[in-house]
């Protein structure tokens, strides 16, 4: 979909008025989810945060996420979502170790030493 396309559309493809969408779609969907065990009542804006969490978990770079969200500064993106990237520490370690294994033994740079 294009960036200008509406995510939630009426059956005819037009934009929902906020109050109509909220009352006709959101409230019933949340009520149904809570009946099946959803522990907290989410806000519509929480979909944005979930989307970003999924992008971070998929190793999408923060600058790409910044552009997608429309943040003027990368600092806004880092301040809000940077803590999610910390879960990538094991991926970072694995990448460093793989790069170091690729070096020849005669290389005088860093070498991986097993403990």
């Amino acid at each position: 979909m294009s960036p200008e396309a509406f995510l939630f559309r009426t059956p005819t493809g037009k934009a929902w008025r906020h109050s109509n969408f909220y009352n006709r779609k959101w409230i019933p969907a949340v009520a149904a989810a809570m009946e099946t065990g959803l522990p907290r009542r989410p806000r519509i804006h929480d979909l944005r945060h979930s989307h970003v969490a999924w992008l971070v978990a998929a190793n999408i770079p923060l600058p790409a996420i910044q552009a997608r969200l429309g943040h003027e500064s990368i600092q806004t993106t880092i301040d809000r979502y940077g803590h999610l990237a910390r879960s990538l520490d094991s991926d970072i370690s694995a990448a460093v170790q793989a790069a170091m294994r690729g070096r020849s033994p005669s290389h005088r740079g860093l070498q991986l030493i097993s403990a």
Side-chain angles (χ1 to χ4, degrees), residues 96-111:
V96 169
Q97 288 181 9
M100 291 172 71
R101 280 193 298 271
R103 296 190 182 267
S104 67
S106 63
H107 191 290
R108 296 182 188 259
L110 296 173
Q111 294 182 6

Side-chain angles (χ1 to χ4, degrees), residues 18-69:
H18 179 270
S19 60
N20 282 343
F21 175 78
Y22 189 80
N23 293 319
R24 294 181 185 178
K25 300 294 182 182
W26 186 257
I27 294 294
V30 169
M34 293 194 75
E35 286 176 12
T36 61
L38 185 69
R40 292 178 45 192
R41 185 174 303 277
R43 303 163 299 149
I44 292 173
H45 189 77
D46 292 331
L47 295 175
R48 178 178 171 97
H49 298 304
S50 295
H51 177 67
V52 173
W54 295 331
L55 294 176
V56 171
N59 298 326
I60 303 301
L62 286 178
I65 295 171
Q66 170 202 0
R68 184 169 186 86
L69 296 177

Side-chain angles (χ1 to χ4, degrees), residues 5 8 13 29 41 44 72 75 82:
F8 301 111
R41 185 174 303 277
I44 292 173
E72 187 174 318
Q75 193 63 49

